[in-house]
Amino acid sequence: MARFAQMERHALADLFLAVGPDAPTVNVGWTTRDLAAHLIVREQRPDAAAGIWLPLLRGYSERVRLELAARSFPDLVRMVRQPPAWSPVSNRITDEVVNLMEFFIHHEDVRRAQPDWQTRDLPPGEQAALWKRVSALTKLRLRRFPGTVTVVADGYGDVATGTGTGTGTGGDQVSISAPPGELVLFLTGRQRVARVQMDCAAPVEERLRNARFGF
């Protein structure tokens, strides 16, 4: 069984070392050092990880992240590359399910913030694994769209959502087409660096490209 999460993890760790601790990322305001510390909190500090999602705990989570970020950058990269076996999200049972999308996204967050970046030709197996996430993301992020959005990845499938889906109530009609990896980036708030084709009215496209539905 291919372990695409591990491939993305190690590629990201290599890229961290190549660009250094102060390189920009797609995440506004975060350097590579900030991103590395975030990944360590998520995997290795369960006492603080909940603050990534829960506003009440965000202050504590951020204090822990900043404390980690003060460590030497090679040490941070080592911790990203080799999480402990006890990690609830990064053990051998959960790793591929929980971490593929996380590390694919953050690998691209670093890649696409660098000059002259190019899209990668991902293995078909990785694209297929990412497509499984696209279906759920589409329904989560776009379920309230006033009309119908159909998301299409040639060779992998399509999924439709929105308030008009299956109801006959009309509304805007949108088609978003791209390989699964690009769709993952688009649906997680990285529209400005995601390479997708949209078929819809220009104002609707602008609204979707600037929507805040990422994490």
Side-chain angles (χ1 to χ4, degrees):
M1 177 179 175
R3 299 186 65 197
F4 297 115
Q6 286 291 309
M7 291 169 53
E8 294 290 345
R9 178 191 297 277
H10 290 294
L12 174 57
D14 291 343
L15 184 57
F16 275 151
L17 293 176
V19 300
D22 301 314
T25 73
V26 169
N27 310 97
V28 177
W30 272 14
T31 65
T32 42
R33 178 185 295 278
D34 292 311
L35 179 54
H38 159 78
L39 290 168
I40 295 166
V41 168
R42 175 183 171 273
E43 293 188 302
Q44 303 183 35
R45 288 295 303 266
D47 60 314
I52 297 172
W53 301 280
L54 300 177
L56 286 175
L57 300 176
R58 196 157 294 158
Y60 174 64
S61 178
E62 181 65 2
R63 287 195 298 274
V64 172
R65 189 188 69 79
L66 291 173
E67 289 172 3
L68 283 164
R71 301 179 66 156
S72 75
F73 193 60
D75 194 25
L76 293 178
V77 176
R78 178 189 59 77
M79 294 172 73
V80 170
R81 193 188 297 274
Q82 299 176 330
W86 55 258
S87 171
V89 297
S90 300
N91 58 70
R92 291 184 65 86
I93 295 173
T94 62
D95 186 49
E96 191 68 15
V97 174
V98 176
N99 287 327
L100 170 58
M101 192 168 74
E102 179 82 6
F103 278 89
F104 167 76
I105 289 170
H106 288 315
H107 185 193
E108 293 300 323
D109 283 343
V110 179
R111 290 187 69 257
R112 299 188 186 210
Q114 310 313 310
D116 302 321
W117 66 270
Q118 300 291 327
T119 57
R120 289 186 288 156
D121 187 13
L122 298 178
E126 184 172 4
Q127 294 279 29
L130 289 169
W131 172 252
K132 294 178 181 178
R133 280 70 169 178
V134 168
S135 181
L137 277 173
T138 299
K139 294 174 181 177
L140 175 64
R141 304 298 185 191
L142 298 173
R143 67 190 184 281
R144 295 179 181 173
F145 178 80
T148 300
V149 181
T150 303
V151 173
V152 181
D154 287 343
Y156 297 94
D158 60 80
V159 59
T161 192
T163 61
T165 305
T167 67
T169 57
D172 294 311
Q173 303 296 305
V174 180
S175 175
I176 305 174
S177 304
E182 299 301 314
L183 293 170
V184 165
L185 294 172
F186 186 89
L187 292 165
T188 56
R190 290 147 175 94
Q191 298 99 307
R192 68 183 178 87
V193 296
R195 298 296 184 253
V196 305
Q197 296 293 321
M198 299 183 67
D199 182 8
C200 59
V204 177
E205 177 173 353
E206 183 177 3
R207 189 165 79 242
L208 283 170
R209 289 193 183 276
N210 290 285
R212 298 184 64 183
F213 46 66
F215 56 79

